[in-house]
Amino acid sequence: MRNKLAAISAVALSLLAACGPLFAHHGNASYDTSKTVTVKGTVTEYVWSNPHVILMVDAKDNSGNTLHWIIEAQNPLSQTGVGWTKNTFKPGDEVLVEVIQAKNGLPVGRFGAVGADAGLSTQPSRIVINGKQFKP
């Protein structure tokens, strides 16, 4: 009986330990959640799939160099809830989006609110597609 209880406890602890990385995946530690950055450029790719919708944008920095931005949104189901579809963006679209940038300064961002709600929101503060404010 004691061995059986020990075995069950060991399996339960192993399962809990294995779940840790799943929670870590959704953290905001790598993003500067105190402010947003405006990215203005051309859509190169839009990926509508799980686990996250991805928007890739080529944008110029202050020196005129092209930066290849990778911007993460929530999953397709959550994005559908705020009016996004698999056709919201298409390659060649000229966009202006506000994102939360990675702390290391790389052209990696995440759509969402700033401050305490950072990363929990599915809708960024501003999206303009081909000169028109996106309003679902």
Side-chain angles (χ1 to χ4, degrees):
M1 181 72 161
R2 193 174 266 181
N3 286 340
K4 189 175 182 179
L5 181 60
I8 291 171
S9 296
V11 168
L13 285 173
S14 296
L15 288 173
L16 285 173
C19 291
L22 294 175
F23 292 112
H25 167 82
H26 290 96
N28 283 320
S30 61
Y31 295 97
D32 180 355
T33 59
S34 66
K35 63 182 178 176
T36 59
V37 173
T38 301
V39 176
K40 183 179 180 181
T42 305
V43 173
T44 58
E45 191 171 348
Y46 178 53
V47 181
W48 183 263
S49 67
N50 283 316
H52 297 279
V53 173
I54 302 290
L55 179 66
M56 297 179 200
V57 176
D58 280 354
K60 301 276 185 193
D61 66 9
N62 293 336
S63 301
N65 301 312
T66 300
L67 299 177
H68 306 288
W69 277 85
I70 299 173
I71 306 166
E72 177 186 70
Q74 297 288 343
N75 61 71
L77 181 61
S78 294
Q79 292 308 125
T80 299
V82 293
W84 289 33
T85 70
K86 64 180 182 176
N87 299 313
T88 298
F89 300 97
K90 56 188 175 309
D93 282 347
E94 293 298 318
V95 297
L96 183 146
V97 294
E98 289 182 350
V99 300
I100 301 166
Q101 187 175 11
K103 286 180 181 176
N104 62 10
L106 291 175
V108 175
R110 180 178 219 176
F111 287 108
V114 295
D117 292 332
L120 301 176
S121 173
T122 54
Q123 189 64 30
S125 53
R126 186 169 166 208
I127 298 176
V128 177
I129 305 170
N130 296 321
K132 297 179 184 168
Q133 179 72 38
F134 175 70
K135 294 183 181 174

